């Protein structure tokens, strides 16, 4: 059976990819910052098949060569590790842009050293597609569209700025070095919590439900169930015909619509009522997912499905 490396193994998407690969009988090496931190990595070691087929390897996005051991000898690499939180201190370059770009460069360098790697699947984002001045004119957005870094800078969309530059660098290297690269571009990922504590995207949802943020984001965004994102990654790795970028997204909605839907189903929670006045992230748009569906991808799960699964897991873990 093939063996795969998953970078950033404790992340929301990465942890689910590790689980899916183990469930399929594959051997997995997951990179983490500290393999001895049981509080952080323990849940990975408890997954079915982990005892026999999961190895945790220490690696750091910013350290040259730190992915060599994890990638040496594997058949494929899922590069999912990425900082997500926008820094409070406005130090975007150091906390977001550099780790995303340098991490991608480091992982691809390790892939080149390891002659066994047949394909690299990179987790990018719809953030590297949907931020443009002409977004409404060019909709539906597809894999040929790219976010405009100047637009991102104008509206302080630093995560999108970093993801766009990081993905472009990955494509530049892949072309230059002959790497078989496939990129998955998920929209905002929703679903049940797998780790002991919620990661950044789930913290936003939890904060909105509990009314703890002060306001909800003025954001119109595609949403996608974690199960669909994982299936897209596995398809991107296993399907020979998969190539280029693959949008992974279900319904596009404004957060106000999400809150309205959730209030009807969960009236007892004190949802955020005030919308942020921040502009730039509120453009109505649509996303074309026909490319991934032509590869045999089933239909995407609905908004109620993904949020119900998410809230149910918050309740089970005592967070709501």
């Amino acid at each position: 059976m093939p063996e795969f490396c998953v970078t950033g193994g404790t992340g929301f998407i990465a942890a689910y990819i590790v689980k899916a690969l183990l469930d399929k009988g594959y051997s997995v090496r997951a990179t983490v910052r500290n393999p001895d931190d049981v509080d952080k990595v323990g849940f990975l070691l408890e997954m079915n098949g982990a005892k026999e087929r999961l190895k945790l390897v220490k690696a750091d996005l910013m350290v040259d060569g730190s992915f060599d051991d994890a990638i040496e000898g594997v058949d494929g690499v899922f590069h999912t590790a990425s900082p997500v939180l926008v820094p409070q201190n406005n130090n975007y370059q150091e906390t977001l842009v550099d780790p995303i770009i340098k991490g991608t460069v480091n992982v691809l360098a390790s892939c080149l050293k390891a002659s066994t790697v047949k394909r690299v699947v990179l987790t990018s984002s719809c953030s590297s597609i949907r931020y443009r001045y002409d977004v409404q004119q060019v909709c539906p957005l597809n894999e040929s569209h790219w976010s405009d870094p100047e637009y991102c800078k104008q509206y302080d969309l630093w995560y999108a700025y970093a993801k766009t530059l990081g993905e472009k660098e990955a494509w530049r290297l892949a072309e230059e070095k002959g790497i078989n690269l496939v990129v998955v571009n998920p929209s905002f990922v929703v679903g049940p919590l797998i780790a002991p504590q919620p990661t950044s995207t789930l913290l936003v949802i939890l904060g909105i439900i509990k009314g703890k943020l002060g306001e909800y984001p003025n954001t119109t965004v595609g949403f996608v169930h974690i199960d669909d994102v994982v299936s897209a990654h596995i398809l991107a790795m296993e399907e020979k015909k998969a190539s280029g970028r693959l949008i992974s997204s279900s319904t596009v909605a404004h957060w106000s619509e999400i809150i309205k839907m959730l209030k009807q189903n969960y009236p007892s929670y004190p949802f955020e009522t005030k919308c942020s006045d921040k502009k730039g992230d509120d453009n109505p748009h649509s996303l074309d997912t026909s490319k991934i569906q032509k590869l045999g991808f089933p239909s995407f799960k609905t908004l109620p499905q993904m949020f119900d699964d998410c809230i149910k897991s918050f309740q089970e873990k005592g967070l709501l």
Side-chain angles (χ1 to χ4, degrees):
M1 282 295 263
E3 184 170 21
F4 296 103
C5 173
V6 182
T7 67
T10 55
F12 184 36
I13 296 173
Y16 269 104
I17 292 173
V18 170
K19 182 179 183 299
L21 292 170
L22 289 171
D23 287 346
K24 292 191 81 156
Y26 294 133
S27 293
V28 183
R29 293 183 210 168
T31 71
V32 293
R33 284 200 195 121
N34 180 4
D36 301 321
D37 185 348
V38 179
D39 291 343
K40 284 259 173 72
V41 304
F43 77 102
L44 294 171
L45 297 168
E46 285 163 18
M47 290 176 174
N48 285 340
K51 208 170 164 187
E52 303 78 28
R53 290 178 280 108
L54 175 64
K55 187 179 172 192
L56 300 183
V57 187
K58 184 181 172 69
D60 187 318
L61 289 172
M62 297 300 284
V63 178
D64 289 345
S66 78
F67 289 89
D68 289 0
D69 289 349
I71 290 173
E72 178 58 49
V74 300
D75 298 88
V77 175
F78 294 89
H79 178 35
T80 305
S82 171
V84 177
L85 282 178
V86 175
Q88 301 300 314
N89 58 3
N90 291 345
N91 193 353
Y92 306 109
Q93 192 67 35
E94 205 175 296
T95 41
L96 267 179
V97 182
D98 291 348
I100 285 176
I101 293 177
K102 188 157 171 51
T104 300
V105 171
N106 277 338
V107 168
L108 291 180
S110 296
C111 292
L112 284 166
K113 286 181 204 167
S115 55
T116 52
V117 175
K118 298 179 187 72
R119 179 172 282 180
V120 180
V121 173
L122 171 72
T123 309
S124 184
S125 167
C126 284
S127 298
S128 64
I129 292 174
R130 66 191 178 90
Y131 293 112
R132 321 161 43 107
Y133 292 102
D134 62 353
V135 66
Q136 268 132 346
Q137 288 79 44
V138 298
C139 272
L141 296 167
N142 61 37
E143 285 82 359
S144 72
H145 295 110
W146 283 90
S147 290
D148 177 347
E150 293 309 311
Y151 182 97
C152 296
K153 281 201 265 191
Q154 182 184 338
Y155 291 105
D156 287 339
L157 298 160
W158 295 107
Y159 175 72
Y161 176 78
K163 288 302 266 191
T164 303
L165 296 190
E167 193 194 330
K168 286 212 160 174
E169 181 62 11
W171 283 118
R172 188 189 71 76
L173 282 169
E175 210 161 288
E176 189 183 290
K177 310 283 188 190
I179 298 166
N180 179 357
L181 177 69
V182 181
V183 172
V184 179
N185 299 81
S187 51
F188 192 102
V189 187
V190 184
L193 182 58
I194 191 171
Q197 292 300 321
T199 43
S200 45
T201 43
L202 292 181
L203 282 170
V204 171
I205 299 169
L206 193 58
I208 288 170
I209 295 168
K210 288 175 139 183
K212 288 277 173 74
L213 301 180
E215 56 188 21
Y216 61 84
N218 184 20
T219 302
T220 300
V221 65
F223 293 88
V224 63
H225 196 295
I226 184 65
D227 291 354
D228 291 333
V229 177
V230 173
S231 298
H233 279 77
I234 304 287
L235 181 75
M237 182 63 80
E238 292 181 336
E239 174 53 65
K240 284 190 175 65
K241 290 187 199 134
S243 65
R245 311 166 89 197
L246 296 169
I247 290 174
S248 176
S249 182
S250 178
T251 308
V252 175
H254 189 273
W255 270 111
S256 58
E257 298 169 76
I258 300 295
I259 292 168
K260 190 179 171 191
M261 172 189 82
L262 294 179
K263 269 184 172 171
Q264 287 173 337
N265 297 343
Y266 304 94
S268 61
Y269 294 126
F271 293 90
E272 291 296 350
T273 53
K274 182 176 176 282
C275 181
S276 162
D277 56 9
K278 192 172 182 292
K279 301 297 283 179
D281 202 0
D282 55 341
N283 293 327
H285 61 279
S286 56
L287 293 159
D288 177 1
T289 56
S290 60
K291 185 179 175 189
I292 195 168
Q293 287 177 323
K294 278 178 191 150
L295 289 172
F297 191 86
S299 57
F300 286 93
K301 292 187 176 180
T302 63
L303 286 172
Q305 280 174 304
M306 60 183 96
F307 278 95
D308 285 348
D309 285 353
C310 181
I311 289 171
K312 198 171 146 206
S313 84
F314 285 161
Q315 291 167 336
E316 282 166 2
K317 296 206 182 242
L319 296 165
L320 275 178

